[in-house]
Structure formats: structure tokens, C-alpha cells
Amino acid sequence: ARSLRWLSTKPRSRSSEPDIAPPRAAPAPPAVGPRMPRVDERVTCPVPEEGIEHAVALMREGLLFRYTYPTGTESPVTTCENALAAYTGHKYAVAVNSGASALYLSLRAAGVEQGAKVLCNAFTFGAVPSAIVHAGCEVVYVESGADYCIDIDDLRDTLREHPDARALMLSHMRGRVGQMDAIREMCAEAGVTLLEDCAHSLGVRYDGVHTGHHGVACGVSAQSFKLLNSGEGGFVLTDDPEVAMRAAVLAGAYETNADKHKNLPEIEERFATLAVDLPNLSLRMSALTSSILIPQVATLDARIEAYSRRYDALVANVRASPAANAALLIPDDLPEVAPVHDELLFTIRTDALARAGGAGAVGAFQAACAARGLTMNLFGSKTNARNFVNWKFAPHARSGPLPRTADMIQRSFGVRLPLQWSDDDILAIGDVLDWCAAEVFGT
């Protein structure tokens, strides 16, 4: 057995294995002021017992491949697709192995060809430009505004500057939804295909309609930090029968397996050769993944209500706190939007930074919050996957320096709001923000 001598407190010989440095002692907590009761902000929603039991039964039988089932009707993947399409109001759903795959397939299924220019928000997650690059396309970024949504004026200018653009991959970053009617109209006038990244906007509605209906297709994610948690997973949702069929075949419906997609249109003559015309990219969702998602779809509305109630209480707390309200901007959603907030987003106001001596106060504020147990995600950090400067695989040279987005993300944070935390745990976030804002920026 391997020695565990490194656990010993006795001195070790110089000739023995190299010493392992002891862990650095944690800094002493502040003597006064609020602290976070919990610090496990990356905790994710557990799988319901029904999903666990279903998954175990499938493993016992070995029924893990969606096309193992004789007609497709019996497949958990079909059940999951039907449930999600019914929830969002889409006609068709194709389950795949990740949200990024869903975005990639949306581009391919919509007929966006390799080499085409595809626009997207400058403030988004790196998976979005990655999907565009994966499709062999060139990314052109559009500025994001103070509300974290795509900047309408810059979108208009970018469409004029790039009349050969083929598509806009619009990201509803962190569930923030912009002026969808105006965006759709601009894209239609420019002959640009609108596709939606709904990874963060499951449950979000615009004028009473679920997100993902303004574009030709959308992608939804079931990655662990989303409202649906299967570790990895995704869906292409669309009302277009041809896009749906192409997405299914591209995802891996080889030979006659498209017949087993029971929520897709009947196999028409024009679809008959798709299985040989299109490559099999093997991006399918497994029956095992679907089995743990089915009961989660059924509880979406109840969980969304809990998120909304706690978010509203937290925002009210921050806005009622003098120091936090003076230093931190929490943008409101558009009146047309019925939001879902599983994360608090805010931006440090420029006048607060000026009072505190400049940009260095951003790091000081983050450190002060961390000392009280509050972990915050600075979107503009040098390692953050939401900072467009870090996307060397899809450089922003063609788009220019993007100064408005760059300024915004250097001052903007995200704080997760796990459902496993109590209401008091969530409200404590506001207390810490207020205390640290007073400490760093004054009142």
C-alpha cells in the first residue's frame, strides 16, 4: 500500500519523498459585519428520485441508446423532447449532447454555410462563438449594452457594415432578453437568419411567448448550472419542419432512424435522401440523459417561481441599502419580459469608482466580498470565458475594440442564487454587498 507518511507530524528525512507544502492558512474572518452563512455557491440542483429510479432501470436493462427502442415512441428521449417542446410551445425538438451542439446544429440545419459571417453579442459565454467557429463560420461581434443585452444601435450599424452577413446568433445572456421585435425586423430587412441561444432563458417569456420563437431555431442547454441538470445535454427547438429534420439527421438519425423521431414531421419525399446527403455528426442525447431530465421539465414552473421570489427580495434589499444602491447598478428587465433569475447581475457605477480612486476599486470590492464569504464572477477578468478578449480562437479584430462591452464587463459581476440556499442565505448577499460597498466606495 502507498505510504501516507505525508500525514505524519514527525520530521522527514531529506532522502525521502519530496515534502508536500502544507495548505496555506485561510485569512482570519473580519471581526465585525455580515458574513455569508453558506459559501457553496456552485452547488447544483439534484436529480429527482423519479429520474434516478428511471436511470437505474435503464442501466439494468442496457437500454441507453435512443434508437434501440423499436418504434421510438417508447424511448425516453422522445418523451423528453415532447415534454420540452410542449413547455416552450415549439412544434419540434431534437435532443442532443450539449447546448453548444444545439447551437452548432442550429447553424448547420438552418443552412448557414461554411465561411459565412455570423454576428453575435460580444457579451456571452465562449461556447457561442465556439459553435460558430465549429460550423466553419466567421464571427462578427456586436456591442452589448448596460442591460447586458445586444446593443440595438450597434446591431443596426454592424448589419450595414457587413451586408454579406448570413446569420445572427443572439445570446440571451444570463436570461436577459433584448428588444426582440426590433431585432427580428432588422434581421429580416438585412436578409439575415436569426437564431437564438436560449441556454440561460429557459422559462423566460417575451410578450407571453417563450423565448426561441423570434428566430428560425434556438438552442437550450441542460448543463449542470442551468434549470435542467443532466451534467451535459441540449435541445434544438424550432417550428420549421425542414430545420427539425436536418437537425435530427445531422445529430445522428442515420439510415431510417428519423422515423423514430415521433415529434418530427412525416417523412416526405423531400426528406427522403437527407440521411445520405448530410453527415452523421453523432451528437445524439442518450436515453440515460433523457431519463433524468423528464421529471425536471415537470417542475420547471415551481422552481422558476422560487427563483423569482427570492431574486425580487434580494434586489429590493440591495436597492434599499444606501451604500449598495449608490454603488451598484442592477438593470431592470424590459416590461415585455417575464424573466427567470437564477443569478444576480450588477455593474459598479462609474461615479462609485471615481470616489474610490478608479478601476483598482473593482478588485478591492471583489476581495472585500470574498473575505466575507461571497464569491462573485467578474465577467471581465483575464481568465473568464465570458470575456471576448480571451477568445483567441475567434478574434474580435474585424469587430473593432468593442469599447462599450469592454467597459461594462470590467465592472460587472454575477452571483449565483442556488435553490438549495435558504431565503436568509440569499438575503445575506445583499447585506455583504452593502457592507463592502460602504467600505470600498463610501456612501
Side-chain angles (χ1 to χ4, degrees), residues 380-387 390:
S381 77
K382 294 181 179 180
T383 59
N384 200 301
R386 298 145 199 90
N387 184 349
N390 297 330

Side-chain angles (χ1 to χ4, degrees), residues 36-96:
M36 290 301 300
R38 295 184 64 162
V39 295
D40 55 341
E41 81 289 342
R42 292 183 67 81
V43 65
T44 54
C45 290
V47 175
E49 285 301 317
E50 178 186 345
I52 295 172
E53 292 171 5
H54 194 180
V56 170
L58 292 180
M59 288 189 285
R60 287 200 174 106
E61 297 294 328
L63 297 172
L64 307 181
F65 182 47
R66 75 167 296 165
Y67 299 133
T68 298
Y69 299 82
T71 68
T73 303
E74 318 92 330
S75 171
V77 185
T78 300
T79 301
C80 193
E81 289 170 335
N82 290 340
L84 190 62
Y87 182 81
T88 63
H90 286 88
K91 291 181 180 178
Y92 311 113
V94 178
V96 294

Side-chain angles (χ1 to χ4, degrees), residues 347-399:
T347 303
I348 300 176
R349 300 178 191 270
T350 53
D351 59 337
L353 287 180
R355 291 197 304 272
V362 173
F365 179 66
Q366 186 174 21
C369 290
R372 297 182 180 279
L374 179 59
T375 299
M376 307 189 304
N377 189 9
L378 176 59
F379 296 124
S381 77
K382 294 181 179 180
T383 59
N384 200 301
R386 298 145 199 90
N387 184 349
F388 65 88
V389 173
N390 297 330
W391 302 333
K392 305 302 183 186
F393 56 87
H396 62 284
R398 181 179 290 280
S399 311

Side-chain angles (χ1 to χ4, degrees), residues 323-442:
N325 190 49
L328 311 178
L329 171 66
I330 304 174
D332 289 321
D333 294 281
L334 292 173
E336 299 92 337
V337 177
V340 176
H341 291 305
D342 59 353
E343 184 169 359
L344 175 70
L345 270 62
F346 63 86
T347 303
I348 300 176
R349 300 178 191 270
T350 53
D351 59 337
L353 287 180
R355 291 197 304 272
V362 173
F365 179 66
Q366 186 174 21
C369 290
R372 297 182 180 279
L374 179 59
T375 299
M376 307 189 304
N377 189 9
L378 176 59
F379 296 124
S381 77
K382 294 181 179 180
T383 59
N384 200 301
R386 298 145 199 90
N387 184 349
F388 65 88
V389 173
N390 297 330
W391 302 333
K392 305 302 183 186
F393 56 87
H396 62 284
R398 181 179 290 280
S399 311
L402 301 164
R404 293 193 293 280
T405 307
D407 175 63
M408 181 267 288
I409 64 175
Q410 292 300 326
R411 299 183 286 120
S412 296
F413 291 90
V415 180
R416 297 192 70 245
L417 309 175
L419 275 186
Q420 289 93 326
W421 287 16
S422 71
D423 290 2
D424 288 342
D425 296 335
I426 298 296
L427 288 175
I429 295 171
D431 298 336
V432 170
L433 290 176
D434 186 56
W435 184 280
C436 295
E439 191 174 70
V440 176
F441 305 114

